[in-house]
């Protein structure tokens, strides 16, 4: 086998190996002293369930985020969009909305946020990073404004109780100890993986990210496609925020902070090129699981204040890996 | 629809740019199902004409009829829909998709957004197979050679029933064997009801491939004839360059001059072991077709591209890095003046001193009075048409922009100047001014390397001429009264040197 | 020269003037509607209370001119502040780990902390200038790295005990006879220095050349990678200075300090007309942008809006500024 084939092979499978190694590593290490992992073992059902429950938001969102990055664009506002959605959802539930209307309204809000990003980037041609940094602060600001002064989140109080059913979506076990939200995330992943492979949206995303001129010459409306992808990301950011609110039984205006970075790390680990054109929804999901393993896994052995550092290091590591695998191949 | 005999009729076409009329009252017809070649020197107006046909430019006057109907495309996509596809030099395939995906890109059959496998894919694949069976539809395009990517594009154009495919220098970046294959395919297109407009500087290709040829010069239409009605390539060359082109080259008085540059066995991805020497006051011309390795040679000497081999400049080995090369005394006028030579959003004063800031500064602080003074000097010396030193370069005409690039390089106090396509896209007047500048510089004792794909330019001013073909140095000649342009063209189009 | 002034001046001057006009209008409106807005003390506050953002803005502006982001400055401030405290806290004086430091002399602690700040800049530079990774991704990573260091050293909280007396001097001394703090003086000195750098030095010119056309810059003999490296080091250093001044002012190294400052620095640069496409922008424009932001936030506070408004306000102001600039430039082109 020659070098090129080796590299292709490594590129194709390394992420699974990394995930497996991390799982094994954390399984071997004794984690007995930590409350979170009930029986003190990483692979115990309790700890796995816990891991997957906390992973719901990123699992929900990172598929759409991958499609957007494949098309060569980026959305840094996803974390704030999540927070705003969480706050709005919690507010509605607190004020007597039942689940379905609150869900629909939240998703509509997500579509609106994505639409705004699409407007700025695709229509007004503002650099994606700048445009979405602006909306990041805008969404976050609105979320903070909605939360009454003096409170840290939308939550139940003595006068006004948060209905207990808010937990039903993302916390209450329905099957194998996992909640609805987890299965919804699995469904989203499945749908987006199919979208990437079997629909024109997936194909056009790759075409626009790979060679925009060629795509446009072939009659593809790149502006509309990019806009649609931004809307998709906004939609799933809202769903992720809703899951977060349901899990925590409150609407925290900072709950989505850092989500954009988690997504970027997952996408980079999954081997998507910075410049767009190629990438895989499923591999991003594996990347997302790696981050969750590292962060929650690390929390069991070292104090929580190491987490930011750990994530930063994983990001830089992902960049290096991505550089070695994606870039090196491009140069060859 | 009744098919007209002429697929395309061009009538009194005009295209004006701020300083120049690039297409001047051009009229000719293109016969259906033919291979129609378009030739002319660089700057003859053929690329402007093509850009009008592809919808990149809008015309300033005249009419174009496609299949007897008014044709006025808004953009390349529109042109494509109306039946004119173009094979650009920048290929328009998506590397990350498969061949079949590229073929159907933009016209997929879908149900609710889901891609369906329909006859359309099979039809397109079979068109492609009929052109080139060795390309597999499930292959990633990134794995294909340039030539095969071109074939994918041609197949797409054929399958979408384009009336006309415009091919702009399609053989520039592909190998001999691939060229033969491409020609077979182009010839086969006639049978598929496709007309080809073929642009190439390789004149042999025109005789080999063309049915008709249109010659343009200085924005005007010179003639359109069946290729069979043209005797030989020298007749074609005469049509292209007119009568007065070969200004007599005047040999310089022979002096013993110091050796400035010696290259030994330069080799890299494009160059196949090139060796030559240049002396002070000498103008050395490197001539070859697009893709022959001229720019790559310049970039290797300049330290931009990696190479093996040795470059000695005034007896010292050159370090492969532009800043060190410049410090040693070499300056480059790059091939693309806007993207490589100029800072177009800055003023003339912002551009001229860039390569030698030390001369207009002390201890790292810029002396702007000095800066203005030298800029003014160069504006006068090279006769740059501008109202002040503070004019943004983007507002100047092509010729004046090129003079700014020259100023920039001259200000670097280089002993060796490398000029890559120094007069590309410049009007005739500015051209001869630039030749004047080059001659003057050589009289001042500077060594000059010119990399050009315009033969008149090379024969006009160069003392020695090096002929490149496919990255190799095929011959070197001394310019003089008995220099044989036929032989030069013979060699650079791939014929064997004596 | 008098005729057709609009077409004569460069886009850069046009945008600066445009934003200056915006500032004047905003200021006028604020004077009309906000009580006591016109008072001299308020003016002084408006010009000086954003000093830390302005100092960061210098580095961010020059990097933006070359087409690069630096999102690590906020985290870097927290890290440098915490490290400066940790380095000079007395060693081995207490059972409480957060009260024990390395016991270095004060000056040594500052120098070391600044070197660490430049270390973050060096990491940025390595990835961006050498490996050509998009700057936004890397600097978001180093943002976390720097903040991570701050959190680890403070165990997610802060360090504020067993500090030498000298520690609080820098941040709490006013220039004799005025209420102007040393930090503001530092800002003024740095802005003037940056202005001189921008307008008068060869290195300043290079920054614009790289932004205008990196390829032409390289072919003209400019060491692009080296220059960008220096700018990132400088940006790290500026963040470090800010971090030390803030730590001194509060006599504490807080791990959560300066969250979101990277965005504020970007906002004032954009408000000041720095083009993200590279090639133009100016330090004075950035300063105008800082004053605009200050006027808006001060006016909002004066109108009794709760501090919760600040994110939304910043978002809206930037939003409008970007749209206005785009509109103005498009109109100009037409």
């Amino acid at each position: 086998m020659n070098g090129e084939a080796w590299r292709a092979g490594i590129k194709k499978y390394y992420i699974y190996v990394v995930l497996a190694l991390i799982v094994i590593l954390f399984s071997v290490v004794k984690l007995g002293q930590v409350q979170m992992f009930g029986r003190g073992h990483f692979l115990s059902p309790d700890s796995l369930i816990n891991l997957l429950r906390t992973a719901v938001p990123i699992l929900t969102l990172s598929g759409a985020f991958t499609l957007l990055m494949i098309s060569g664009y980026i959305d840094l506002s996803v974390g704030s969009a999540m927070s705003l959605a969480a706050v709005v959802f919690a507010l509605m539930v607190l004020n007597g909305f039942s689940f379905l209307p609150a869900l629909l309204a939240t998703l509509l809000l997500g579509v609106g946020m994505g639409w705004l990003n699409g407007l700025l980037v695709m229509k007004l041609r503002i650099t994606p990073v700048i445009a979405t940094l602006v909306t990041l602060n805008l969404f976050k600001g609105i979320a903070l404004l909605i939360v009454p002064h003096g409170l840290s989140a939308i939550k139940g109080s003595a006068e006004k109780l948060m209905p207990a059913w808010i937990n039903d979506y993302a916390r209450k076990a329905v099957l194998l100890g996992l909640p609805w939200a987890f299965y919804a995330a699995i469904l989203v992943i499945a749908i987006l993986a199919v979208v990437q492979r079997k629909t024109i949206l997936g194909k056009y995303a790759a075409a626009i990210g790979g060679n925009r001129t060629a795509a446009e010459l072939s009659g593809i409306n790149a502006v509309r496609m990019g806009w649609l992808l931004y809307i998709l990301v906004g939609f799933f950011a809202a769903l992720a925020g809703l899951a977060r609110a349901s899990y925590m039984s409150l609407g925290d205006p900072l709950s989505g902070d850092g989500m954009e970075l988690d997504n970027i790390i997952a996408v980079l680990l999954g081997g998507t090129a910075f410049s767009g054109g190629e990438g895989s929804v499923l591999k991003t999901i594996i990347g997302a699981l790696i981050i969750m393993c590292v962060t929650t896994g690390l929390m069991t052995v070292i104090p929580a204040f190491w987490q930011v550092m750990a994530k930063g290091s994983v990001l830089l590591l992902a960049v290096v890996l991505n550089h070695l695998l994606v870039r090196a191949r491009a140069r060859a | 629809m009744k098919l007209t005999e002429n697929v395309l009729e061009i009538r009194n076409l005009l295209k004006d740019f701020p300083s120049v009329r690039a297409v001047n009252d051009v009229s000719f017809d293109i016969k259906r199902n033919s291979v129609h070649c378009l030739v002319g020197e660089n700057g003859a107006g053929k690329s402007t004409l093509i850009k009008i046909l592809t919808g990149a430019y809008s015309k300033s006057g005249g009419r174009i009829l496609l299949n007897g109907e008014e044709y006025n495309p808004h953009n390349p996509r529109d042109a494509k829909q109306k039946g004119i596809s173009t094979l650009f030099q920048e290929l328009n395939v998506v590397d990350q998709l498969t061949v079949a995906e590229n073929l159907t890109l933009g016209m997929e059959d879908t149900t609710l957004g889901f891609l369906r496998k329909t006859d359309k894919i099979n039809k397109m694949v079979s068109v492609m197979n009929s052109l080139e069976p060795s390309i597999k539809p499930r292959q990633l395009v990134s794995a294909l050679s340039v030539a095969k990517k071109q074939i994918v594009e041609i197949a797409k154009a054929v399958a979408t029933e384009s009336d006309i495919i415009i091919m702009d220098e399609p053989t520039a970046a592909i190998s001999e064997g691939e060229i033969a294959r491409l020609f077979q395919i182009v010839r086969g297109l006639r049978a598929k009801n496709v007309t080809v407009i073929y642009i190439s500087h390789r004149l042999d290709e025109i005789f080999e491939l063309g049915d008709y040829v249109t010659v343009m010069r200085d924005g005007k239409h010179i003639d359109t004839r069946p290729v069979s009605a043209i005797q030989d390539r020298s007749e074609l060359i005469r049509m292209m360059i007119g009568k007065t082109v070969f200004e007599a080259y005047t040999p310089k008085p022979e002096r013993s001059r110091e050796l400035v540059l010696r290259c030994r066995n330069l080799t890299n991805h494009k160059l196949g072991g090139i060796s030559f020497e240049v002396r002070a006051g000498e103008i050395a011309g490197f001539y070859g077709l697009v893709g022959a390795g001229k720019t790559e040679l310049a970039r290797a000497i300049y330290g931009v591209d990696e190479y093996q081999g040795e470059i000695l400049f005034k007896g010292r080995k050159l370090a492969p890095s532009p800043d060190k090369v410049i410090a040693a005394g070499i300056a480059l006028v790059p091939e693309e003046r806007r993207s490589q030579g100029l800072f177009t959003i800055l003023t003339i004063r912002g551009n001229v001193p860039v390569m030698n800031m030390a001369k207009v500064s002390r201890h790292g602080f810029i002396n702007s009075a000095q800066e203005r003074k030298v800029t003014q000097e160069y504006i006068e010396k090279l006769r740059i048409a501008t109202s002040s030193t503070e004019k943004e370069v983007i507002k100047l005409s092509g010729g004046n922009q090129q003079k700014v690039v020259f100023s920039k390089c001259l200000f670097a106090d280089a002993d060796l100047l490398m000029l890559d396509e120094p007069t590309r896209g410049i009007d005739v007047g500015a051209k001869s001014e630039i030749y004047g500048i080059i001659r003057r510089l050589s009289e001042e004792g500077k060594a000059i390397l010119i990399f050009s794909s315009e033969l008149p330019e090379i024969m006009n001013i160069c003392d020695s001429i090096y002929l490149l073909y496919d990255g190799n140095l095929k011959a070197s000649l001394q310019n003089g009264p008995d220099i044989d342009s036929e032989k030069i063209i013979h060699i650079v189009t791939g014929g064997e040197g004596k | 020269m008098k005729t057709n002034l609009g077409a004569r001046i460069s886009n850069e001057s046009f945008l600066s003037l445009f934003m200056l006009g915006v500032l004047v209008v905003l200021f006028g409106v604020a004077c009309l509607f906000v009580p006591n807005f016109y008072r001299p003390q308020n003016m002084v506050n408006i010009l000086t209370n954003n000093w830390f953002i302005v100092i960061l803005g210098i580095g961010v502006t020059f990097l933006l001119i070359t087409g690069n982001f630096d999102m690590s400055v906020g985290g870097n401030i927290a890290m440098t502040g915490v490290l400066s405290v940790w380095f000079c806290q007395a060693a081995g004086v207490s059972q409480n780990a957060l009260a024990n430091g390395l016991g270095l002399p004060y000056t040594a602690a500052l120098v070391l902390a600044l070197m660490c700040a430049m270390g973050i800049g060096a990491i940025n530079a390595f990835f961006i200038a050498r490996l050509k990774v998009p700057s936004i991704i890397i600097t978001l990573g180093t943002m976390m790295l720097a903040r991570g260091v701050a959190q680890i050293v403070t165990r997610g909280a802060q360090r504020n005990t067993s500090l030498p007396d000298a520690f609080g001097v820098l941040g709490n001394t006013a220039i004799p006879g005025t209420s102007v703090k040393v930090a503001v003086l530092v800002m003024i000195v740095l802005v003037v220095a940056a202005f001189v750098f921008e307008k008068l030095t060869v290195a300043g010119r290079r920054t614009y050349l790289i932004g205008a056309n990196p390829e032409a810059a390289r072919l003209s003999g400019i060491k692009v990678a080296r220059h960008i490296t220096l700018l990132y080091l400088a940006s790290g250093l500026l963040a470090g200075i800010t971090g030390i001044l803030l730590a001194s002012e509060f006599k504490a190294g807080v791990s959560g300090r300066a969250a979101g400052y990277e965005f504020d620095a970007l906002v004032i640069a954009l408000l000041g007309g720095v083009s993200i496409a590279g090639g133009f922008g100016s330090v004075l424009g950035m300063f105008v942008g800082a004053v605009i932001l200050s006027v808006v936030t001060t006016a909002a506070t004066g109108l009794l809006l709760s501090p919760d408004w600040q994110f939304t306000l910043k978002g809206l102001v930037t939003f409008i500024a970007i749209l206005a600039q785009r509109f103005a430039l498009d109109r100009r082109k037409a």
Side-chain angles (χ1 to χ4, degrees):
Chain A
M1 206 152 71
N2 60 16
E4 190 51 41
W6 266 106
R7 193 179 286 143
I10 293 172
K11 195 190 165 200
K12 208 163 175 182
Y13 299 113
Y14 86 96
I15 189 160
Y16 305 105
V17 177
V18 172
L19 180 63
L21 282 178
I22 288 173
V23 170
I24 292 168
L25 180 74
F26 285 130
S27 309
V28 174
V29 176
K30 270 283 174 217
L31 305 169
Q33 73 277 29
V34 182
Q35 195 67 44
M36 183 178 162
F37 292 101
R39 265 177 274 162
H41 203 282
F42 190 70
L43 278 184
S44 72
D46 282 3
S47 50
L48 260 183
I49 285 171
N50 218 330
L51 179 82
L52 292 176
R53 279 202 308 194
T54 38
V56 162
I58 191 168
L59 293 180
T60 308
L61 178 54
S62 57
F65 198 86
T66 309
L67 284 178
L68 184 69
M69 282 196 70
I70 288 175
S71 74
Y73 292 94
I74 197 166
D75 184 353
L76 297 176
S77 74
V78 288
S80 292
M82 246 183 83
S83 303
L84 181 54
V87 167
V88 167
F89 177 73
L91 188 71
M92 282 190 291
V93 172
L94 189 63
N95 286 299
F97 278 73
S98 58
F99 180 70
L100 219 54
L103 171 81
L104 288 178
T106 309
L107 294 180
L108 201 65
L109 171 71
V111 168
M113 293 188 286
W115 181 87
L116 181 64
N117 280 326
L119 176 81
L120 295 177
V121 175
M122 306 308 303
K123 194 78 182 173
L124 301 174
R125 286 173 289 110
I126 295 168
T127 319
V129 169
I130 297 280
T132 57
L133 267 176
V134 170
T135 52
L136 181 159
N137 281 266
L138 208 60
F139 299 156
K140 190 186 212 170
I142 296 170
L144 285 166
L145 273 180
I146 291 175
V147 177
H149 195 64
L151 290 182
S152 63
I154 300 282
K155 52 187 167 189
S157 60
E159 305 91 72
K160 214 179 204 177
L161 286 172
M162 181 66 81
W165 60 259
I166 193 175
N167 274 160
D168 286 2
Y169 177 63
R171 206 175 186 105
K172 197 178 86 179
V174 288
L175 183 65
L176 299 173
L178 288 161
W180 284 117
F182 175 77
Y183 296 104
I186 296 297
L187 187 67
V188 169
I189 294 166
I191 290 173
L192 289 178
V194 171
V195 163
Q196 191 197 356
R197 288 165 187 208
K198 302 281 180 197
T199 72
I200 52 169
L201 187 61
K203 184 179 169 187
Y204 286 3
I208 293 166
N211 185 342
R212 183 161 173 171
T213 325
E216 291 191 315
L217 270 178
S218 303
I220 296 171
N221 188 333
V223 170
R224 209 161 56 191
M225 280 296 144
W227 207 331
L228 188 60
L229 289 170
Y230 270 108
I231 290 175
L232 216 56
V233 168
F235 179 89
F236 287 115
L239 188 60
L242 187 152
R244 185 60 68 77
S246 162
Y247 184 77
M248 305 198 304
S249 324
L250 49 77
D252 180 353
L254 302 173
S255 57
D257 276 17
M259 197 62 180
E260 63 282 355
L261 285 166
D262 289 2
N263 272 290
I264 290 172
I265 299 172
V267 165
L268 291 181
L269 281 174
T272 299
F274 305 127
S275 47
E278 55 186 325
S280 147
V281 167
L282 286 180
K283 282 191 181 166
T284 298
I285 299 302
I286 306 286
L289 287 176
I290 291 179
I291 302 172
M292 294 313 293
C293 284
V294 170
T295 47
T296 53
L298 273 180
M299 264 166 65
T300 62
V301 271
I302 52 172
F305 55 75
W306 276 84
Q307 227 192 27
V308 178
M309 177 67 139
K311 265 192 201 172
S313 313
V314 173
L315 173 58
L316 294 185
L317 219 65
V319 169
V320 173
L321 267 177
N322 198 291
H323 178 83
L324 293 177
L325 292 167
V326 179
R327 293 286 189 87
R329 194 187 58 93
R331 217 183 300 140
Chain B
M1 188 175 72
K2 192 175 121 316
L3 288 180
T4 45
E5 186 200 355
N6 295 326
V7 65
L8 196 73
E9 302 180 358
I10 297 172
R11 294 286 170 268
N12 309 100
L13 192 68
L14 292 178
K15 177 66 192 177
D16 289 324
F17 288 112
S19 60
V20 62
R21 174 161 279 186
V23 174
N24 191 354
D25 195 23
V26 167
S27 305
F28 65 97
D29 297 336
I30 292 179
K31 293 257 189 311
R32 188 173 296 280
N33 303 343
S34 63
V35 176
H36 195 113
C37 300
L38 190 55
V39 298
E41 274 197 288
N42 289 332
K46 58 185 193 311
S47 44
T48 310
L49 175 67
I50 292 307
K51 281 185 175 155
I52 294 171
L53 290 181
T54 59
Y57 290 162
S58 59
K59 59 182 191 264
S60 310
R63 301 171 68 196
I64 305 172
L65 300 174
L66 177 66
N67 293 320
E69 284 166 34
E70 201 75 35
Y71 170 75
N72 211 352
H74 309 297
N75 54 46
R77 190 167 69 199
D78 192 30
K80 201 166 178 175
Q81 275 157 6
K82 287 177 170 151
I84 299 190
S85 296
T86 309
L87 203 59
F88 292 99
Q89 285 188 17
E90 288 276 313
L91 287 176
N92 284 305
V93 284
V94 181
D95 277 347
Q96 291 88 345
L97 298 180
T98 64
V99 171
E101 283 172 333
N102 264 288
L103 285 172
T104 55
L105 188 63
M107 32 195 176
E108 294 82 356
D109 285 317
T110 57
T111 313
L112 300 170
F114 281 87
L115 300 163
R116 278 191 301 148
K117 288 214 163 63
T118 55
D119 275 355
K120 190 184 264 175
I121 303 178
N122 297 335
K123 198 189 120 205
M124 306 204 74
V125 168
S126 71
V127 168
M128 198 194 59
N129 279 335
S130 72
L131 296 179
E132 180 59 69
S134 74
I135 302 175
K136 298 282 168 272
R138 299 179 66 90
Q139 237 177 330
L140 271 181
V141 166
S142 56
L144 298 179
S145 67
V146 173
K148 288 191 171 166
K149 288 179 187 176
Q150 287 178 337
I151 293 171
V152 172
E153 277 204 69
I154 294 173
K156 189 172 176 184
V158 173
T160 53
E161 289 166 356
S162 295
D163 294 304
I164 297 177
I165 302 179
I166 298 172
M167 300 186 185
D168 188 8
E169 297 270 7
T171 54
I174 67 181
S175 73
E176 282 295 304
E178 290 170 328
I179 291 175
R181 183 76 198 108
L182 180 72
F183 283 7
Q184 263 181 330
I185 288 169
V186 171
R187 282 192 207 100
L189 291 178
R190 280 175 254 192
K192 293 187 195 299
N193 213 2
V194 175
T195 309
V196 174
I197 300 179
Y198 191 91
I199 300 145
S200 178
H201 284 103
R202 306 189 181 196
L203 297 183
D204 280 341
E205 295 179 2
I206 285 150
F207 289 96
E208 198 179 335
L209 194 64
D211 299 314
Y212 297 90
V213 61
T214 289
V215 180
M216 289 184 72
R217 185 169 75 223
D218 299 335
K220 294 194 192 95
H221 176 247
I222 301 301
D223 203 357
T224 297
R225 282 193 220 168
V227 171
S228 54
I230 293 177
Q231 241 174 2
D232 55 10
R233 56 191 305 157
S234 35
E235 185 182 357
L236 194 55
I237 291 173
R238 276 196 296 279
M239 287 163 71
M240 282 165 60
I241 55 195
K243 285 165 197 147
T244 57
V245 170
F246 288 95
E247 273 178 51
Y249 161 79
T250 38
K252 292 185 189 129
E254 202 55 49
R255 283 177 290 181
S256 86
R257 294 172 302 189
E258 97 185 90
L259 187 65
V260 175
L261 182 75
R262 165 185 278 174
C263 292
R264 260 188 243 147
N265 209 15
L266 292 191
T267 310
N268 68 12
H269 65 285
K270 183 75 196 183
L271 306 175
I274 291 182
S275 308
F276 65 93
E277 290 176 357
V278 180
R279 293 176 179 277
E282 180 180 351
I283 306 178
F286 289 81
Y287 179 64
L289 299 175
V290 176
K294 301 183 300 285
T295 297
E296 288 79 3
L297 178 57
R299 287 171 65 90
I301 297 173
Y302 206 54
V304 186
D305 290 349
E306 292 173 359
Y307 59 85
Q308 285 94 49
E310 192 183 41
I311 305 176
L312 291 175
F313 179 65
K314 296 199 265 190
R316 288 209 188 144
K317 205 168 167 351
L318 268 187
S321 151
D323 52 291
K324 299 202 176 84
V325 171
I326 292 169
I330 298 180
L332 169 75
V333 172
E335 184 182 17
E336 303 284 342
R337 83 181 145 258
R338 276 160 157 265
S339 64
Q340 301 173 330
L342 290 171
F343 305 90
T344 51
I345 60 172
L346 302 182
T347 60
I348 302 178
R349 176 169 64 91
N351 275 273
V352 170
V354 165
M355 288 172 78
N356 197 352
M357 288 304 285
K359 247 166 90 180
V360 289
S361 63
R362 275 185 70 185
H363 311 303
F365 284 87
I366 299 172
N367 178 345
S368 43
Q370 175 75 6
E371 213 180 33
R372 230 171 254 123
K373 200 179 121 229
V374 298
T375 306
Q376 192 59 42
E377 269 171 34
Y378 277 98
I379 288 177
E380 282 159 20
K381 201 162 144 195
L382 302 193
R383 299 204 290 146
I384 300 171
T386 173
S387 48
S388 86
T389 58
E390 303 306 302
K391 195 158 182 172
E392 280 149 30
V393 168
I394 199 162
K395 293 176 182 158
L396 300 176
S397 72
N400 284 308
Q401 286 184 352
Q402 188 69 340
K403 288 182 189 169
V404 174
V405 182
F406 264 78
S407 311
K408 199 175 125 224
C409 289
L410 294 180
F411 189 68
D413 280 338
D415 296 314
L416 173 73
L417 280 166
M418 296 199 287
L419 316 174
D420 195 358
E421 303 287 0
T423 62
R424 172 177 286 179
I426 288 177
D427 63 75
V428 183
K431 237 180 200 180
S432 65
E433 278 189 72
I434 286 189
Y435 294 150
I437 295 167
I438 294 172
R439 287 204 189 89
R440 211 162 65 218
L441 290 170
S442 107
E443 279 155 25
E444 287 168 16
K446 298 200 187 301
I448 293 166
L449 304 186
I450 295 179
F451 302 85
S452 176
S453 48
E454 294 183 37
L455 185 55
E457 177 164 296
I458 294 281
M459 298 188 56
N460 208 338
I461 51 175
C462 296
D463 303 315
S464 44
I465 299 174
Y466 296 90
L467 303 180
L468 293 173
Y469 182 79
D470 202 19
N472 291 301
L473 194 56
K474 286 289 180 188
S476 60
L477 318 161
Q478 284 303 310
N479 203 352
D482 52 349
I483 188 122
D484 182 358
S485 63
E486 298 271 324
K487 194 177 96 188
I488 290 178
I489 290 181
H490 176 71
I491 292 172
V492 298
T493 49
E496 276 310 304
K498 46 187 164 180
Chain C
M1 277 299 272
K2 271 180 213 154
T3 54
N4 206 4
L5 186 71
R8 253 172 198 289
I9 59 173
S10 63
N11 279 344
E12 183 186 331
S13 327
F14 173 76
L15 270 188
S16 302
L17 285 177
F18 178 78
M19 291 320 289
L20 203 62
V22 170
L23 173 60
V24 170
V25 170
L26 275 178
F27 188 77
V29 171
C31 284
L32 281 179
F33 291 99
V34 183
N36 297 329
F37 198 80
Y38 54 88
R39 293 220 174 143
Q41 186 53 47
N42 193 39
M43 306 280 128
V44 174
N45 287 345
I46 283 173
L47 289 174
T48 58
N49 61 8
N50 264 351
W51 63 266
F52 39 90
I53 304 296
V54 173
I55 295 180
L56 295 181
I58 294 170
V60 168
T61 297
F62 286 129
L63 279 167
L64 266 184
I65 289 170
T66 66
N68 288 291
F69 292 97
D70 190 352
M71 305 302 286
S72 69
V73 286
N76 208 347
I77 287 178
M79 182 188 86
T80 319
V82 165
L83 288 181
S84 71
V85 170
W86 183 45
F87 288 156
C88 67
Q89 274 179 317
V93 290
S94 164
Q95 295 295 333
N96 180 359
L98 285 179
N100 288 328
L102 298 185
L104 296 175
Y106 181 56
T107 337
L110 293 196
V111 171
L112 267 181
L114 287 178
M115 282 171 66
C116 292
M118 288 169 77
I120 294 292
I123 299 175
N124 288 335
F126 171 75
F127 279 97
I128 295 159
R130 298 270 160 225
L131 300 189
K132 311 273 187 278
V133 179
S135 58
I136 184 74
I137 291 179
I138 286 308
T139 56
L140 282 172
T142 49
M143 167 181 98
M144 288 196 289
L145 216 58
R147 184 143 332 259
V149 170
Q151 296 208 335
I152 291 166
V153 173
T154 59
R155 314 208 153 181
Q158 56 172 299
R159 287 175 172 266
N160 52 14
T161 49
S162 46
L163 282 165
D165 294 337
F167 193 86
V169 173
L170 212 51
N172 293 296
T173 313
I175 297 162
T178 63
S179 63
V180 177
K181 287 185 296 186
V182 168
V184 173
L185 192 67
V186 172
M187 171 193 83
I188 294 169
V189 169
L190 286 173
V191 166
V192 170
F195 181 76
V196 169
F197 171 82
E198 172 191 310
K199 298 286 181 218
L200 301 179
T201 69
V202 174
R205 178 70 63 80
R206 264 184 219 131
T207 311
Y208 286 85
L209 292 171
I210 291 170
N213 189 342
E215 177 66 7
R218 191 166 76 111
L219 293 180
S220 301
I222 293 171
K223 296 175 192 122
V224 176
R226 197 177 78 167
H227 194 74
I228 289 183
T229 302
L230 290 177
L231 287 179
Y232 271 108
L233 288 177
S235 184
L237 181 65
L238 290 171
I241 291 171
T242 314
I244 284 173
L245 286 169
L246 283 173
S248 168
E249 182 177 339
F250 294 92
K251 295 187 185 126
V254 185
S255 63
R257 173 88 64 218
Y261 282 19
E262 59 279 349
F263 181 70
D264 292 355
L266 195 62
V267 165
I268 61 170
L270 292 173
L271 284 177
V274 178
S275 154
I276 180 59
F280 68 82
S282 69
V283 168
L284 283 190
M286 181 272 294
F287 190 74
V288 170
V291 180
I292 290 180
L293 191 67
S294 194
V295 166
V296 170
T297 46
T298 314
T301 319
L303 290 171
L304 301 176
L305 288 176
S306 81
D308 297 340
W309 268 92
Q310 54 161 322
F311 275 104
T312 318
L313 260 183
K314 271 178 215 162
L316 279 177
V317 170
T318 333
F319 193 70
I320 294 165
I322 292 174
L323 291 186
Q325 286 172 12
R326 161 119 289 159
F327 182 71
L329 279 183
D330 283 354
R331 278 285 294 273
R332 207 172 130 77
K333 237 178 261 164

